[in-house]
Amino acid sequence: MNQKRWTMRISGRVQGVYYRAATEKSATGLGVTGYALNLPDGRVEVVAEAEPDRLKALHQWCLQGPPAARVDDIDVTESAATGEFTRFAIRR
C-alpha cells in the first residue's frame, strides 16, 4: 500500500452547512479514513489517509462540498500516513 496523509483546511462558508457530515459520507464511500473538524477560525480541517487516487477524489469532492457550502480555498499538506484511523469520523 502506498498510503499518504493529507491535511486539508477548507475556507469559505463551510460551518453550519453539514460540511463535516457530508465529508464523512463521501470519505467513507471512497474508503478514506481520518476525520473532519470545525476550527475556531471558521475553517474545516479534514485529515485523510488513503492511496493518493482516493485522496485526490476526496479533494475534488471537498472543492464543492454539500449544496449549502461555498468553498473559497483549500490548503493541503501531505505527510506520511500513520495508520491510526480505522474509519472516517466527525470530531467536535
Side-chain angles (χ1 to χ4, degrees):
M1 277 195 256
N2 183 24
Q3 295 217 340
K4 300 286 182 189
R5 174 186 281 216
W6 284 13
T7 301
M8 298 183 272
R9 291 186 180 90
I10 300 104
S11 305
R13 188 173 66 165
V14 292
Q15 290 191 13
V17 294
Y18 301 101
Y19 195 94
R20 291 177 303 154
T23 302
E24 178 185 33
K25 183 176 181 181
S26 179
T28 299
L30 289 166
V32 175
T33 61
Y35 66 86
L37 170 73
N38 281 344
L39 296 174
D41 64 5
R43 295 180 297 167
V44 169
E45 178 180 73
V46 173
V47 175
E49 291 190 355
E51 292 80 20
D53 61 327
R54 293 174 190 251
L55 293 173
K56 288 176 189 172
L58 182 62
H59 179 266
Q60 283 301 114
W61 184 89
C62 286
L63 286 168
Q64 297 299 313
R70 184 196 74 245
V71 176
D72 294 336
D73 187 49
I74 299 180
D75 177 51
V76 181
T77 52
E78 183 178 305
S79 57
T82 64
E84 67 188 274
F85 308 113
T86 58
R87 64 185 186 92
F88 198 93
I90 297 171
R91 288 197 178 169
R92 301 192 192 312

